[in-house]
Amino acid sequence: MNKNISIIGVPMDLGADRRGVDMGSSAIRYAGVKKRLESIGYDIVDKGDLRVPTPESYPIINNNLKYLAEITKVNQELAIAVDQEMQKGRFPLVIGGDHSIAIGTIAGVAKHQKNTGVIWFDAHGDLNTGETSPSGNIHGMSLAVSLGIGHPDLTNIGGFAPKIKPENTVIIGARDLDEGERELIKRIGLKVFTMHEIDRLGMPRVMEEALSIVSKGTDGVHLSLDLDGLDPHDCPGVGTPVIGGISYRESHLAMEMLAEADVLTSAEFVEVNPILDVQNKTARVAVALMSSAFGDKLL
């Protein structure tokens, strides 16, 4: 694995309805991410936070695509930042912020990898469009956008679309899908490991199958981890919690297996909301999972 990591913070909360997730990058830093990764042998450069406008600064023009122009601008800047770090031979580790920032992260990664495998660790599909979204919140559209489905301002960030392919993408931990998302999953043949599959097959087999999909014919794998993929008991500080999620131990096993596969080339950890958290528990879990994903072991 690339031992040179660049942390990029994106205090984005325009993509979600609940305030507070803009403080997620600060909470993850406070939980000691730099020190933790340095302790296991990584060279860490913290690039600081991108500038993100507050929702109060701009009116909502389109209720089907809330803050479209502002989210597009930030993700364009994020794509450039990720691209620049990868040009230097560094691993981009993006911390947020709501899940709309995956649009920019993946756009930057796709500049360097023709075929990127994606593990989308999430309670939700994030496969809505402006036409199907019940809320108009763009954090619920980010995977669809990366697949080239959605508003052209978003899909064309970086100057090309799509960024990734459905046959190289898996969702792990889904348990709350909208009707439009279910229809899209069937239409494009996207592999989804719901909590039913995790309960029935176990996390080891789910990860084995997922890794075989995302690493087949790809140039590297991007991990997009939404902390609401875990059960709210373990991660209370998220904006859209859904009970019955992946356990703390199952999540660590998934990250450990990902580290053992040695295919990870970029990652983001998102949706930490300190306002809804208890003693920064969710950010501390995020840092612990990062450590496992980068190869930390007990022995």
Side-chain angles (χ1 to χ4, degrees):
M1 187 172 297
N2 189 342
K3 289 291 184 179
N4 303 302
I5 297 176
S6 293
I7 296 173
I8 304 170
V10 191
M12 172 80 83
D13 67 350
L14 296 169
D17 270 338
R18 304 184 79 169
R19 298 303 309 275
V21 74
D22 56 317
M23 295 185 284
S25 54
S26 293
I28 290 170
R29 289 187 175 99
Y30 185 74
V33 60
K34 187 173 186 289
K35 183 177 180 180
R36 181 73 174 264
L37 296 180
E38 285 176 337
S39 72
I40 56 174
Y42 286 86
D43 174 69
I44 308 297
V45 174
D46 192 333
K47 305 297 292 186
D49 285 346
L50 298 186
R51 184 181 177 279
V52 180
T54 61
E56 291 82 3
S57 304
Y58 296 87
I60 295 176
I61 297 172
N62 182 348
N63 281 315
N64 293 328
L65 290 154
K66 296 174 182 175
Y67 302 108
L68 172 63
E70 294 77 26
I71 290 172
T72 299
K73 184 176 184 295
V74 173
N75 275 295
Q76 287 171 337
E77 294 171 358
L78 176 56
I80 292 170
V82 169
D83 177 26
Q84 289 175 342
E85 294 311 303
M86 293 189 78
Q87 284 184 40
K88 299 173 188 174
R90 302 189 66 86
F91 183 111
L93 174 59
V94 178
I95 55 176
D98 71 59
H99 215 163
S100 68
I101 67 177
I103 297 169
T105 306
I106 293 174
V109 170
K111 290 265 191 181
H112 297 265
Q113 296 174 177
K114 184 178 180 182
N115 291 308
T116 299
V118 174
I119 292 180
W120 199 269
F121 197 94
D122 203 327
H124 309 92
D126 296 345
L127 287 164
N128 274 303
T129 64
E131 290 71 40
T132 67
S133 173
S135 67
N137 294 328
I138 291 176
H139 76 155
M141 307 179 192
S142 44
L143 182 53
V145 166
S146 299
L147 290 162
I149 302 164
H151 196 283
D153 286 1
L154 297 170
T155 60
N156 289 322
I157 286 172
F160 64 101
K163 310 300 190 299
I164 56 175
K165 302 173 182 176
E167 59 266 29
N168 300 140
T169 303
V170 299
I171 297 173
I172 297 176
R175 54 194 184 277
D176 184 12
L177 297 171
D178 295 319
E179 182 58 35
E181 293 179 303
R182 290 194 288 268
E183 291 175 2
L184 180 60
I185 287 167
K186 293 173 183 176
R187 177 162 61 84
I188 66 176
L190 185 68
K191 181 62 179 177
V192 180
F193 294 97
T194 67
M195 289 308 302
H196 172 82
E197 278 77 36
I198 293 172
D199 290 341
R200 187 170 183 175
L201 303 175
M203 185 59 82
R205 183 170 164 190
V206 165
M207 281 303 296
E208 287 169 359
E209 292 188 17
L211 285 165
S212 70
I213 292 169
V214 300
S215 60
K216 185 178 181 180
T218 59
D219 309 313
V221 173
H222 174 71
L223 170 66
S224 192
L225 191 146
D226 186 325
L227 272 298
D228 73 22
L230 279 76
D231 192 86
H233 173 78
D234 297 309
C235 287
V238 296
T240 48
V242 184
I243 61 171
I246 300 171
S247 73
Y248 179 80
R249 185 57 247 160
E250 287 172 325
S251 302
H252 271 288
L253 177 59
M255 296 301 102
E256 289 160 358
M257 292 182 68
L258 184 56
E260 289 171 1
D262 196 19
V263 292
L264 204 60
T265 51
S266 56
E268 67 210 339
F269 287 72
V270 302
E271 297 285 357
V272 173
N273 191 326
I275 288 178
L276 304 174
D277 209 0
V278 179
Q279 298 180 333
N280 213 30
K281 181 178 182 178
T282 304
R284 288 188 282 111
V285 170
V287 171
L289 292 178
M290 290 178 201
S291 185
S292 287
F294 288 110
D296 194 10
K297 294 181 178 180
L298 182 62
L299 293 173

